[in-house]
Each structure stands twice: as C-alpha cells, then as structure tokens.
Amino acid sequence: MFDSDLDLHNSLCRPDAGDRMYALATELFPICRSITGNGVRRSLDLIERRIPLTRTETPSGAQVLDWTVPLEWNIADAYIKNAAGERVVDFQKNNLHVLNYSAPVRARMSLDDLKQHIFTLPEQPGFIPYRTSYYQERWGFCMSQNALDALPDGEYEAVVDSTLAPGSLTYGEHLHIGGSADEVLLTAHICHPSLANDNCAGLALLAELADAMRPLKTRYSYRFLFAPGTIGAITWLARNEANARRIKHGLVLSCVGDGGGPTYKRTRRGDALIDRAMTHLLKHAFAQANVVDFFPYGYDERQYNSPGFKLEVGLFQRSQFATFPEYHTSADNLDFIKAEHLQSSLQAVSAAIAVLELDQRFINTAPKGEPQLGRRGLYSTIGGDKDSYAKNMAMLWILNLSDGTHSLLDIAERANTPFALIAHCAGLLAQKGLLTPA
Amino acid sequence: MFDSDLDLHNSLCRPDAGDRMYALATELFPICRSITGNGVRRSLDLIERRIPLTRTETPSGAQVLDWTVPLEWNIADAYIKNAAGERVVDFQKNNLHVLNYSAPVRARMSLDDLKQHIFTLPEQPGFIPYRTSYYQERWGFCMSQNALDALPDGEYEAVVDSTLAPGSLTYGEHLHIGGSADEVLLTAHICHPSLANDNCAGLALLAELADAMRPLKTRYSYRFLFAPGTIGAITWLARNEANARRIKHGLVLSCVGDGGGPTYKRTRRGDALIDRAMTHLLKHAFAQANVVDFFPYGYDERQYNSPGFKLEVGLFQRSQFATFPEYHTSADNLDFIKAEHLQSSLQAVSAAIAVLELDQRFINTAPKGEPQLGRRGLYSTIGGDKDSYAKNMAMLWILNLSDGTHSLLDIAERANTPFALIAHCAGLLAQKGLLTPA
Amino acid sequence: MFDSDLDLHNSLCRPDAGDRMYALATELFPICRSITGNGVRRSLDLIERRIPLTRTETPSGAQVLDWTVPLEWNIADAYIKNAAGERVVDFQKNNLHVLNYSAPVRARMSLDDLKQHIFTLPEQPGFIPYRTSYYQERWGFCMSQNALDALPDGEYEAVVDSTLAPGSLTYGEHLHIGGSADEVLLTAHICHPSLANDNCAGLALLAELADAMRPLKTRYSYRFLFAPGTIGAITWLARNEANARRIKHGLVLSCVGDGGGPTYKRTRRGDALIDRAMTHLLKHAFAQANVVDFFPYGYDERQYNSPGFKLEVGLFQRSQFATFPEYHTSADNLDFIKAEHLQSSLQAVSAAIAVLELDQRFINTAPKGEPQLGRRGLYSTIGGDKDSYAKNMAMLWILNLSDGTHSLLDIAERANTPFALIAHCAGLLAQKGLLTPA
C-alpha cells in the first residue's frame, strides 16, 4: 500500500479530469436549484450518471435539530411583462431573475409599486443579483440596474408561477468504503441556481473525485455529500447524529473553478490534520495561498464545526466567497470558471487525500548515527543534481526524525519539503529495511 | 445582573466625571506631600469629602517587611535669601523647590558652597526638578538652571524649616463590598508633591471611581488604596499579609491625566485576566496603545508582583513614566493634564471593571448546528447595516464557542470584537434561552 | 565557586590566546590529513604538545554502528608530469591536488583521458577544489581551471604514490575531570587536509581551550574530542554507546577562524540549554548573529543528534559552511583566518561554558515586596551612571524572578540582560544573604 503514493494521487486526479468537470458543470448550470424541489433532484440525476447515489427525502415540517424542513418550492415560469405584453424580465432566460423561493404572484401594477419587489446591484449595474427568501414568505424579481433603469413608467404584469407546498428536502450521498469505518466527509452545496463557480464547480469536482476513487483501496471510508446549504447539512446531521462521530476529517468545497486563491479556511480547532495538510500542500503548490482562521460564517463548515459536533471539516475554495465581484451575480457564469482551474483544485484536494491516506509514523531501524546510505545505493553523489540533493536531504530528515513521535507530515513540515517527496523517500527507506511502521 | 453591562460601564464613567476629576486634582495640587507627614493627611481630607476612608497610621520605627517606617517629615517653610534679604528661591511659590524629605538647615554660605546642595536640570533649563532623599539624611533645594545661572556670587542664607521626628506613616482605604470577598485592588500613590499628572490625576480618578461605584452591586469587592509609593505599599502589605491573597486582580494608576499613550504594563505573570482585559480594551478603544511587558521598576506594581505575593496587579498610565519631558519636573502642572484625558482614562478603567464583572463562561443550549436565529428575531437581514452585521457575527461567534471552555473575553479576543458587543449579544442570546451559565 | 564567573571566563579566554591559536593552526595547515592515516597522527602529535591526549586506534574492518572502518590511506607523493618530465601538478606544493583517499596510480595517458580524473571549479577558475572519495575506490587530481586550461595536449604521466591497506582509524581525546561525571562534549574534525578555517582553526581553538581549563575546578567534566568527520564520530559513538549518555551538552566547532557570522546551529531539540545559552550570548556579543534551526546535514552534530542518541550538541561557526566562496577550496588558507577572529570565537565558546557552569536557580530570601537594597549598599543612586542603572535593574530582576522556578539564564533572557551581569549581580545578592540556592 505504501509505495502507491504517487499512484494514489495520479489515480484521483486524472489528466482529462478538468474537461470532464467543466462538462458536468455546464450541464448543471441551467437548472434552477433551491434548498428543496425538483432542481435538486434533476441535479442529482446528472451526478448519478457518474456515480451511484443514495438519496434521502425528508418531509416538510420535519424537525431537524433546531430547524424545521420548510415547504417544498417548485417553479414553472416567471416573468414581468410590459403593457405591450412583452417579457422584459424572463425566468426562462436566466433563473436568477426570480427571487429564490419566491411565493407565487400574478398581478398588475405600476412600475413604482413593482420596484418594491425588485432587487438590483446599483454598484454593479450590468449584473443580476442572486437573492433568496427561504424563511420569510415574499415574492420578487432580480434584474440588472441597467435593465431596470431602461423600463419606462407604466403598468406591468408580474407573474411567478411557483408552488410552496408540503414536499420534502432532498440530498444525495455516495459512500466509498475503505479499510476503516472512520470517514472523510467531502461535501458541496447543491442549492444555488445558475451560479457556475458557486457551486456547479464544487459539485462537478466532487463527482469526478468520487468516480476516480471507486477502484481504489483506501485507508479511510469517504462520504461524498451533495446537500442544500445550511438546512441540508442540518438535516443530514439530524439524521446522522450518532454516525457523525465517524467523520475524522473533512472538506467543504465551493467556488473551486475560478483562477483566484486558493483559499483554505481552517477548522474551529485550527490545527487539525486537515488544516495542517492543506496549509502544507497549498504553500508548496501555489505561489500565493490564502489560509484563514475559522470564523462562524460561510458554508456548511459552520454546521460541522458547531460545538455539538466539532467535526474537523475545513473549507477549500479558489477565490474566497464574497471577495470577488462576480460572487452571487449573473457574472458567476460558465465563462468565469475554467477546466484548468478545476483541474488544479482537484489536484489540491487529491494531494490532501494522499496525506490523509499515507501519513503515518515510522521507526528508524538504525537510529544510532546515520546509516550508511551509500552502500545501499540510496545516497546520490551530490553534484549539480538538485533532485538528488533534495532526495538525500529528505532521507536524512526522515531518518533523523523517525523516532516514533513524528509522522511523515510532521517531518515534511519541519523539513519544509513537499509531503509527496517525503512519502516517496520514506517508501525507499522502508524497502531497504531502514524504516518500520511505528 | 447580566443585562447591565452597558449600565455598569455608564454608571462608573459618568459624563461629568472629567470636570469633577480635574477639579479635585486642582485642589490636591498645591499640597506638599511626601511619604509621611501632614501633606498626606490633608490630601486624604480632600478625598474624604467624596468617599468614606479608613485611615491607618503606622509609627516611625515599625518593621514593615524588609523595611522600617522612617521618621515623619513635616515642613513649614524653606527659602534661599540673597544678601539683600530677598527670597530668590521660595518654597511658598512651589514646593518642588525643597529637596523632598530635606533635613532642616539654617545657614549662611557662599554661592559656591550652596551649589553643593542645589539640584537643577541643565538640559531642561527652565524646569525645576523633583528630587527626594528619603533614606539618606541631607538638605537641599531644587531650582531651574536658568534661575541658578542668574544668581550673582555672594553670600546667601539657606533655610529649611522642616522636622524629622518620630511620627507615623499614613494611608487611606475605601472598601466597596461586593458579592464576593475576592477583591480588586485599585491604588494610586499619594506621596508626590505638586506634580499634577504624577499623581493628582491618579488620586482624582480613584476617588471618582470609588464614588461612582458606591450604589452598584458588584461581583467582586473593590479596594481603593491611597498610599505613599514603595514604603506605603510595603506597609499595607506588611499589615495585610494574610488578606492580600484575597486580591485577585488589580491596577496601579499613575499619570492618567495627560494626552499620551495609553500605556498598560502587564503583570509579572503576563497573561492574567487583567492583562488580557486591558490589552483587548485598549486595542479596541485607542488608535495606538502601548502594552509593555512587566519589568521590576516603576510604581507599586513592583511590590504587589514580588515573588512573595505574586498579585495580578498591572499598571495603567497615559504617557509611560520617565518618557515624557514634563516627568518629575515643574512642567507636570495643571496645564499638563486635561479633563478630557481624565475622562478617557476613566473610561478605560471602567471598561476593564466591566470585563472583570461580566466575564463568564456560557453553554450553548442548542449546540448541534446553528440554532435558527431568524425565528427568534435575533437575525437581522444582512444589508448595508454594519451594526446588524457585527451583531450577527458576534452571536454566531458566541454560539460557536460557548461549549463551556470559552469565556466571553476568550470569545471577544478570538472574534476580534469589542467585549462590550460580545457581552451585549450574550445577554440577548441568554434572554432567548440559547445560552445558560456554564 | 560562584563568585568566579568573570574569573572563569577570563581564565578560559586568555589575552594572548588568538596568537597562540593562529600559530598552532599554522603548524597544522601543511599536513595531509584524511579520515585515516598518518596525517591524523601527526596532527595529534602537534596538539599533544599542548595537552595530554588519549588516542584510540580502531582497526580497518571493524564494525562501528551501521558502518565499517575503511582501509587506512597513506600517501607519499603525487604529481602529473608533462612530456618534458616537469611536474605540472604537484602534491608537494599543495596537498589538495590529490583526490583525498585516491587509489594509487602510475600511468601515462593523453590529456583527454587524464581529464576524466581531474576535478576543477569552472566558476572559481583560480582555486583548487577539495574533493574526496572515501567509499568508492578511484584515483584523481584536483587543480585550478586556469591551470588545466593552460595544459597543452600531449601525453602526461599521472602518479599517486598512495597506499590503501589494513590499518586503523585514529582519534584523540582529552578529558578534563570536573565535579560531576556529567560531560560537556567539545569536538572538532581532524580529517581535512590543508584547509585553514575548515578545520585547523577548530582544532587550534579546542587545544587552547582544553589547555586553559586544566587548572580550573569545573562543575561538569569536559571531553575534548579530535576525530575524523562522520566515520570518526561514528567510531567514537560505537565505542562509547553506554557512556555517551553522560554527555549533557556539547558543541561541534568548525570554521571558527574567519571574520563572518557568527553562526550557531541549534540541536535537534531546539531549546536545549546550549541552544539558549548560545542564542543569548551571540545576541549580546555580536551585532549580527545567525542562529539557524537544526537540519540533518553539516558536521558531526548529525551523528550526535541522531535519534538513537539525541545528544544536545550544537554547531558553532563563524561563516556558515558552504556559504563562503573559500569553502572547500585552496582559498581557505592561512590568509583567510585571523588571530583576532579565533580570539572572538574563543570568547563566545568560553562564555557558553560560563553559562553551563554557573546557571542555577536561586530563592529570594526576602520575597515579600522588594528588599531594601540601599541599607545593604547594593543600590546605587540612579544618575548619569549607566552601569549602576544596569546593575540595579539586574538585581531587581533577579529578586523578582528568584522564586525557585527561574534560573539565571531564564532571568537573563527575560530581562534581556547579558548573563555575565546577571551572574555577577546574583553573586552580590548571595553575599548579602538575599539569595540562597534553590
């Protein structure tokens, strides 16, 4: 198992993964998702073409932790027509045009009255905002400030052909069973409508990774969870209170398709293994990585890190949410994400999984003085060869610190050397009998 | 008790306090104080018009820890007269002119001989220095270098009409009794003569604070101690060796009336609650705060932090002692201090008391996931409203960290949010039943 | 014993030591040393004129930890002659010209064939490199790139008149017996040929220090070890596996004669007493000191810090190895080192020994409040006298922290005051009965 470090990473992050993820994001993009309803189910259908899913439906009104599952929302159409009967705002063209979870309405009114129900972004006048009203029943539309400014006074017809009715909340899971019942949770929110980075990208990455892992034997079991934000995570936790303690490590994935960042937000604990792995990996793989401390706002890491669970789940993103101009607007579209960025995001997550899988403590079997590497063919003559030098140093660090108290990640951190090289060299030393598992 | 956080702070720091403190400092300023004698007693008389005091007299010759209470010093007059009989140096004009604790003298001598007994500040030629000679009996005068330079050669008469005789050392205390016998010590030195910042300001602040606290019910008992520097603190400690262990927190106040700093000097321990409270509060309340580590020199924090007591007593000042040009000179006069600076110093001390009173640990009663704040009317829609955003974040931080191991100050520090806002929001959450005391 | 702090330092670091060390380095310089052979023995002869040595010979083929003692190498002569019979490369002129441990050879060949056996430094064309081949049998020469470029094509004769034969590996030790069997290890490698800084300088410093220590009574025993690099340290450890645990502190000395640095490389543990002592001392004694964390490459600290021994042995140098252009070239000659640099290096090491000898914990016998220093003649009036001020502060720090948990070095670190002043003032306080050993 041990000598498969690079195999593992390469198996998880296949060369054509970027294009495949972009294609899935493209399919997911047009669907009008929300925290409940058929948009979620249709999205899970697309994901299920790649990986088997177990779906869970939780009925409206169910008590989930401190919350109640709301009425199910579905929508057929929505528009604003002018006096001439022309659609000046059309849900069919962009599902962001409707206030997500909008109550149904069919009414004629003046522009002034209508404006009470219209949301724009005056400082980004060309973008349609993404707005929701899950727990306060109201109706509304979103449009660009420019388009609003172009509307003449007069009477308009506002129609939201939606339903808010008893139904259920849907989430889907894929469990990859490893050697241990201990789990790694990987999750992405499935509730946002046509926002490419936030989170068609995360859904696509999760599906690709789950698919790539299927043939592999892993140390941990891996739970891939596709659930609506907040209420979905809360519902999952409510239904899995006892099992949640199996989750030893985890990552929330959102906004993984743009070219910014990368950003890693630590767990509440701050020095969990996933925190150390991500910090180490991003530092070595990216010129500038943004590692931020936990704060109780953002995505579902809020729920997993709540004091009743304290699961060690971090958040991985490229650009940090709410810091890029396209965030929660119509500019977060398929042009904003790229296959290459999805690929490098997948690489980072794959590398983190490699750390979780391969980190362990060894014992140097020749701990008194340095063992003579030369006669074992392990010591490259140090010349102009930078790779040989790095390998030699990695081996010396591993031998020096492998006293049973330092894991490979500990060594990689202290030696300021990529984990992959440390793990590779540990494999070579183990083959020669110089290391034995602690 | 809990919802009175702002009440507490506002009760301690009344809007007209600055003027009242300045007025008391003005009354205290002309008195010639020293480590013993009637100057201390007259100063306590003025303070006693505001708050009841218990006075303690300890006789000359009494053994106090490693020290002995010295002879009592009193002075009626002092001057240098020139050959024409004119007073060229006059204690009646400024009591700094006499070497504090000067032995009596009445002698005629040449200017050259007289100069052996005259102290000046050549680098600040317009200022009279403040000098003392408590434990080595000698006589002397202090004057400005300019005035000395203007004296013509000739014979002069030097008179110090003082007494050094068995008497006693005086200090005064005011004890505010709270719910617990555990005490907070607040103290200011009462031994310096006409120096406004050092320490008429500290005495005035202490009297104002003690008076403002009188109607309040507090968690701790508060001991307000007006004592001479070094020997006074040592005498108090000698007489209260057993009771001193009741002191859980404390502040020495000196130089609190100028516009510099603020400066906080940590306790010997360095991370005591008072250290953390002051560091947190000054960072949030002032653009630039100077927080320095403990060192065994300065004011009476030296004595309280000695290894035989290790009381957690810090030092609060505006400009740090010995760093401002007016320090220990005649320029530390009533023009150097301002009512507004006294007011903001009082605010800082009041805020620290609010932390001591209100800091506690809570338990989140809905710890699994986030509780739904919206249905409890606790969650403001996040819009342009910065205050609402800050409140929401404060509530999320409190809920996330209230697992019984984090106090409100811990949370304020980690959230980088003012303690007052954290305490206020904790009150709101407690009202809704989402928090219960740990 | 305690009041001898300055005595101790001055006894170890005598005023004429620099010249004496330079003279010994000059004698050692011409000898062709290697990891075995008569060069080591002749070097020990020179050192033995200063201090008694115990020599140990370990036969070729002996198993030492993971290694085997190699064949002994000796060399009588080596040269390259041109067709005219002139020596164009001559070991008699500079012993760096031969590949250290070169197998014997006597052959004629073309310049092109000869070049396969010649090492140069193309980027430092005027310097002869220092190269070795201990564990791979081959023959070779080292020369400057300029000299090689000047050789015309033609036939050359290459002669290395060396022997590789069963013999032994030699090291020498001097043990200074102190009050305790606990040892401080001071060691320098004796295997490099004509390189002045690396390590004639280290050998000379070690001999001078051992000699200076002879009349002194010390707390610890001191082991001065002159051994070949790597295989010598490994041989010593192999022969002293049980006794090695007596070594409580140690320093490897190399490159101590140039004007760079100083450099201190920490032990694997990182906060050993020797680490703290060296960091403290270098910070106070040099404008810029380079203190680097341990890494498992360099000199014999690699062996002593291996996980099977974990001895707290650091490395002291002036310029850090491999960072100065003269390193491992013919430019590391007697012009590169200076008596004054040897002297200041000796000062640093002597100061470190003073810390090891004198660091201890005391108890303040008057811990309640400050003791009255004035009546004991310990308190200088603070005036313009900077030395008195520093002494007063040192005494106040010692009294404040001497509660049995802080050693003098702890106090020196916290007070940011040179250890020597702290130790001196502790002596004064102890004389007056204010301190007693903890």
Side-chain angles (χ1 to χ4, degrees), chain A residues 367-370 372 375 414, chain C residues 66-67 241 268 302 306 308:
Chain A
K368 295 191 172 176
E370 288 172 15
Q372 195 180 12
R375 69 173 151 86
R414 180 150 172 192
Chain C
D66 190 62
W67 301 61
E241 275 199 48
R268 178 186 191 271
R302 298 157 69 166
S306 61

Side-chain angles (χ1 to χ4, degrees), chain A residues 222-428:
Chain A
Y222 286 79
R223 183 172 299 277
F224 297 84
L225 173 61
F226 304 84
T230 305
I231 186 70
I234 282 168
T235 301
W236 187 89
L237 285 168
R239 298 185 73 123
N240 294 275
E241 275 199 49
N243 291 343
R245 79 174 62 124
R246 286 188 195 156
I247 296 173
K248 301 304 177 192
H249 317 285
L251 280 177
V252 174
L253 301 176
S254 78
C255 304
V256 293
D258 72 293
T263 302
Y264 177 70
K265 176 183 166 185
R266 292 191 179 94
T267 67
R268 178 185 191 273
R269 176 177 151 174
D271 63 350
L273 183 59
I274 188 68
D275 298 322
R276 294 175 50 215
M278 290 301 291
T279 303
H280 172 80
L281 294 166
L282 295 186
K283 169 180 159 192
H284 283 279
F286 290 85
Q288 286 197 319
N290 181 29
V291 177
V292 299
D293 282 336
F294 179 78
F295 53 95
Y297 193 67
Y299 293 92
D300 288 331
E301 69 279 4
R302 296 159 70 168
Q303 310 307 328
Y304 301 115
N305 284 276
S306 63
F309 291 104
K310 295 186 185 171
L311 302 181
E312 297 180 359
V313 176
L315 167 66
F316 177 65
Q317 311 197 284
R318 300 302 298 265
S319 292
Q320 190 173 14
F321 74 92
T323 65
F324 53 95
E326 297 84 356
Y327 176 73
H328 277 195
T329 76
S330 53
D332 180 0
N333 57 33
L334 289 167
D335 293 335
F336 184 52
I337 66 170
K338 298 273 182 294
E340 61 182 302
H341 304 321
L342 288 162
Q343 183 83 23
S344 69
S345 295
L346 178 61
Q347 258 168 358
V349 176
S350 300
I353 291 174
V355 173
L356 298 179
E357 288 289 311
L358 301 175
D359 191 37
Q360 65 175 119
R361 295 194 307 280
F362 286 94
I363 302 263
N364 174 348
T365 59
K368 295 191 172 176
E370 288 172 15
Q372 195 180 12
L373 297 177
R375 69 173 151 86
R376 294 176 176 90
L378 291 172
Y379 200 75
S380 316
T381 307
I382 296 173
D385 183 353
K386 274 180 93 171
D387 281 357
S388 296
Y389 177 75
K391 259 192 186 174
N392 286 341
M393 285 304 298
M395 284 191 275
L396 291 173
W397 271 115
I398 295 163
L399 290 166
N400 187 269
L401 294 177
S402 286
D403 55 5
T405 68
H406 301 90
S407 78
L408 296 183
L409 181 59
D410 294 332
I411 297 171
E413 288 176 335
R414 180 150 172 192
N416 195 22
T417 299
F419 179 85
L421 179 60
I422 294 290
H424 173 69
C425 290
L428 296 177

Side-chain angles (χ1 to χ4, degrees), chain B residues 65-67 135 234 241 268 294-297 302-303 305-310, chain C residues 364 367-372 375-376 379 382 393 396-397 399-401 403 414:
Chain B
L65 302 179
D66 188 64
W67 301 60
Y135 299 102
I234 282 168
E241 274 199 49
R268 178 185 191 273
F294 178 78
F295 53 94
Y297 194 67
R302 297 159 67 167
Q303 310 308 328
N305 284 276
S306 62
F309 291 104
K310 294 185 186 173
Chain C
N364 175 346
K368 295 190 172 178
E370 287 172 16
Q372 195 179 13
R375 68 172 152 88
R376 294 175 175 91
Y379 201 76
I382 296 176
M393 284 305 298
L396 292 173
W397 271 116
L399 290 166
N400 187 269
L401 293 178
D403 56 4
R414 181 151 172 190

Side-chain angles (χ1 to χ4, degrees), chain C residues 1-14 176 209 212-220 222 346-347 349-359 419:
Chain C
M1 168 180 169
F2 187 77
D3 49 333
S4 63
D5 48 351
L6 286 174
D7 293 350
L8 172 60
H9 184 270
N10 290 338
S11 300
L12 293 176
C13 188
R14 297 171 290 191
H176 174 88
L209 185 63
M213 191 181 278
R214 288 164 76 187
L216 305 181
K217 291 192 175 174
T218 56
R219 174 197 280 189
Y220 287 105
Y222 286 78
L346 177 62
Q347 260 169 357
V349 176
S350 300
I353 291 173
V355 174
L356 298 179
E357 288 290 310
L358 302 174
D359 191 37
F419 179 86

Side-chain angles (χ1 to χ4, degrees), chain B residues 28 31-49 53 55-60 69-75 101 163 165-172 190-191 203 226-228:
Chain B
L28 289 164
I31 299 171
C32 182
R33 282 168 292 271
S34 188
I35 55 173
T36 61
N38 291 323
V40 175
R41 295 186 191 101
R42 280 202 295 274
S43 300
L44 292 174
D45 292 344
L46 291 176
I47 293 165
E48 204 160 15
R49 291 195 210 149
L53 288 179
R55 300 191 189 203
T56 302
E57 299 280 351
T58 303
S60 300
V69 173
L71 296 176
E72 182 175 324
W73 183 69
N74 283 292
I75 183 164
Y101 245 70
T163 56
S168 58
L169 176 146
T170 314
Y171 60 74
I190 196 168
C191 52
L203 298 170
F226 304 84

